[in-house]
């Protein structure tokens, strides 16, 4: 039976998920809600917002959808799966219920979960407005830099890393006074971990799991990892230090106890688990869990999956992942994000984008774009993610940047050093 699939979300991650699903032998019709001009080329975009569950339900019933994959975390944290499950008992859904989505929706929950199941992570304590004094005392026991995290979802901005003790104390006070709204009613303070970060992606049906290709993303806006944090300026996969020994440790110390812990908590988790890891001298520690794929990591990772991704999604949704055979490409993927000048602060939109039709040897994923009378125009901070694949990371980088230079819009910006650390990496 052909599968009608619906991808929820509108960014580069969702374009990449849709792009991979569109190659499946099992696919009937592919829909995105709301999608973007990139997904419109490979799928039918449906109007509406993923935050409006009734709109999603209408899309499912009107289009005979068999399988839904949820891109962003917010609808999952808000209970989209729970809602759809009740309405459509036989619908296949990739993405956890609200209970499972607490792994991302509450840092306090995630940290307590890791402590309970002995999953390596930074030492921590959680405080609220009634325990300001205690939070200051705890800070005094730590060495700088101090890591302060809003408990709830804060659009990727809820983490503060501060060197000065007094400033850190003041930050805590600001957080309790609503710096991140309800998200910072509770604050997690944790030990600073030093090392190199890597993103590891797990697809699970609650019992079995597959580990997808790992990736590294580049979060800061400036060359050399300087300046403000962004949603991600680029990605590379594979990551050389994530070798067999490291990945075995990730699987034994983190993936297995996470899946077992979820089961023990009575959480039937069907979806992605994105492990944000720190490699501390060869030992993996969890910095954060996300309950979705990463962006822009997905734009690199999808290009390295050779097996039928829709089949894997169906298996995750139906509890048959143990029988799935996955195959990954040995090629390197380098993804360069092109942003609007000024991002992640103020930027302008609606500038025409030139050169999209002339690029070669790459896959271009749309993030913040819109169709207009003048053709495709910019409509967000992160505009496009350009991915190249090649036998070496050096070649993939060269192909990606050759294409990026062909694409132009007013005030466009990209980081010219994506993948340099991987190219220069020595054991
Ligand atoms: P999160 O939103 O939890 O991913 O945190 C954002 C970023 O802050 C991470 O990607 C890390 O670069 C950094 N970070 C978070 N927690 C720690 C920690 N305990 N030690 C060092 N860096 C951290
Ligand atoms: N690239 C990091 C994230 O998606 O959260």
């Amino acid at each position: 039976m052909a599968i009608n699939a619906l991808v929820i979300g509108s960014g580069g991650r969702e374009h990449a998920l849709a792009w991979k699903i569109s190659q499946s032998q099992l696919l009937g019709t592919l829909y995105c809600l709301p999608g973007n001009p990139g997904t419109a080329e490979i799928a039918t975009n449906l109007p509406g917002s993923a935050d409006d569950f009734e709109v999603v339900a209408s899309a499912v019933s009107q289009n005979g959808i068999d399988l839904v994959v949820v891109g962003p975390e917010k609808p999952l944290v808000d209970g989209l799966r729970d809602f759809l499950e009740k309405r459509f008992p036989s619908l296949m859904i990739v993405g956890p219920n609200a209970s499972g989505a607490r792994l991302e929706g509450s840092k306090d929950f995630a940290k307590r979960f890791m402590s309970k199941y002995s999953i390596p992570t930074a030492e921590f304590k959680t405080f609220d407005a009634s325990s300001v004094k205690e939070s200051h005392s705890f800070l005094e026991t730590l060495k700088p830099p101090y890591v302060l995290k809003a408990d709830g979802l804060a659009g990727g901005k809820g983490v503060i890393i501060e060197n000065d003790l007094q400033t850190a104390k003041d930050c805590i006070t600001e957080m309790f006074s609503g710096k991140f709204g309800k998200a910072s009613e509770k604050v997690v303070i944790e030990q600073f971990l030093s090392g190199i970060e890597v993103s590891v992606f797990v697809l699970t049906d609650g019992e079995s799991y597959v580990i997808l290709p790992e990736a590294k993303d580049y979060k800061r806006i400036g060359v050399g990892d300087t300046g403000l944090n962004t949603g991600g300026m680029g990605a590379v996969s594979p990551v050389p230090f994530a070798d067999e020994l490291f990945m075995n440790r990730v699987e034994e110390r983190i993936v297995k106890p996470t899946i077992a812990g979820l089961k023990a908590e009575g959480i039937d988790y069907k979806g992605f688990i994105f492990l944000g890891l720190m490699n501390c001298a060869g030992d993996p520690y969890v910095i954060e869990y996300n309950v979705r794929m990463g962006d822009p990591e997905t734009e690199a990772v999808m290009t390295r999956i050779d097996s039928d991704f829709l089949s894997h999604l169906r298996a995750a949704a139906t509890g048959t992942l143990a029988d799935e055979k996955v195959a990954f490409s040995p090629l390197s993927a380098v993804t360069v994000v092109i942003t609007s000048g000024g991002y992640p602060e103020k930027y302008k939109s609606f500038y025409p984008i030139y050169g999209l039709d002339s690029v070669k040897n790459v896959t271009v994923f749309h993030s913040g774009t819109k169709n207009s009378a003048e053709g495709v125009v910019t409509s967000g901070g992160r505009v496009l993610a350009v991915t190249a694949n090649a036998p070496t990371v050096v070649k993939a980088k060269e192909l990606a940047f050759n294409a990026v230079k062909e694409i132009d819009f007013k005030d466009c910006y990209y980081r010219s050093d994506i993948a340099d650390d991987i190219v220069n990496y020595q054991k």
Side-chain angles (χ1 to χ4, degrees), residues 152-165:
L153 290 185
K157 297 193 173 68
V159 176
I160 293 171
I161 299 183
E162 176 54 56
N163 274 306
D164 179 64
L165 180 61

Side-chain angles (χ1 to χ4, degrees), residues 129-399:
S130 70
S131 52
V132 177
K133 255 202 181 143
E134 291 84 342
S135 72
H136 289 185
S137 309
F138 182 60
L139 274 182
E140 283 161 13
T141 69
L142 299 174
K143 284 198 210 97
Y146 305 100
V147 182
L148 316 174
K149 298 186 173 184
D151 172 55
L153 290 185
K157 297 193 173 68
V159 176
I160 293 171
I161 299 183
E162 176 54 56
N163 274 306
D164 179 64
L165 180 61
Q166 187 53 47
T167 314
K169 287 179 179 175
D170 295 343
C171 275
I172 292 180
T173 307
E174 277 176 39
M175 288 168 96
F176 291 145
S177 322
K179 186 179 169 78
F180 300 108
K182 265 184 88 64
S184 60
E185 276 176 0
K186 282 198 260 179
V187 173
V188 171
I189 302 179
E190 66 180 39
Q191 167 206 8
F192 181 83
L193 297 173
S194 53
I196 319 177
E197 286 182 57
V198 58
S199 305
V200 170
F201 302 97
V202 180
L203 178 64
T204 180
D205 60 9
E207 290 277 344
S208 300
Y209 60 85
V210 293
I211 300 178
L212 301 174
E214 77 289 347
K216 179 177 188 297
D217 86 340
Y218 296 79
K219 287 206 170 75
R220 304 291 197 92
I221 187 72
V223 166
D225 284 330
T226 54
L228 292 173
N229 247 323
T230 72
M233 297 299 293
V236 180
S237 177
V239 178
F241 69 74
D243 55 14
E244 206 179 319
L245 176 64
F246 182 80
M247 290 307 285
N248 277 339
R249 288 179 177 165
V250 171
E251 184 165 4
E252 294 304 320
R253 299 177 190 175
I254 296 168
V255 177
K256 286 183 180 170
T258 297
I259 307 285
L262 287 166
K263 241 178 96 174
E265 295 294 311
I267 297 170
D268 182 20
Y269 195 110
K270 291 182 163 54
F272 296 106
I273 305 176
F274 161 178
L275 305 167
L277 303 179
M278 192 72 90
N279 174 358
C280 301
D283 291 317
Y285 286 78
V286 178
I287 294 178
E288 63 168 350
Y289 285 113
N290 294 303
V291 298
R292 52 169 174 87
M293 289 294 289
D295 196 341
E297 290 99 320
T298 307
E299 292 94 306
V301 168
M302 287 300 126
T303 67
R304 295 197 54 226
I305 296 179
D306 282 345
S307 41
D308 191 318
F309 189 57
L310 183 55
S311 170
H312 307 335
L313 295 176
R314 176 177 65 180
T318 55
T320 55
L321 211 46
D323 306 326
E324 280 291 292
K325 296 259 176 304
V326 292
F328 304 136
S329 163
L331 298 183
S332 284
V334 171
T335 300
V336 179
V337 172
I338 310 179
T339 66
S340 297
Y343 171 82
E345 296 186 286
K346 266 206 171 135
Y347 59 85
K348 290 196 177 140
S349 286
F350 311 115
Y351 292 134
I353 303 173
Y354 305 104
L356 283 176
D357 295 332
S358 57
V359 292
K360 287 192 285 290
N361 304 316
V362 291
T363 311
V364 179
F365 298 109
H366 289 234
S367 289
T369 69
K370 223 180 152 85
N371 279 318
S372 79
E374 289 105 74
V376 181
V377 298
T378 64
S379 74
R382 291 190 294 164
V383 177
L384 298 163
V386 178
T387 300
N389 300 84
T392 64
V393 65
V394 174
K395 186 70 189 166
K397 185 188 153 185
E398 184 190 317
L399 294 175

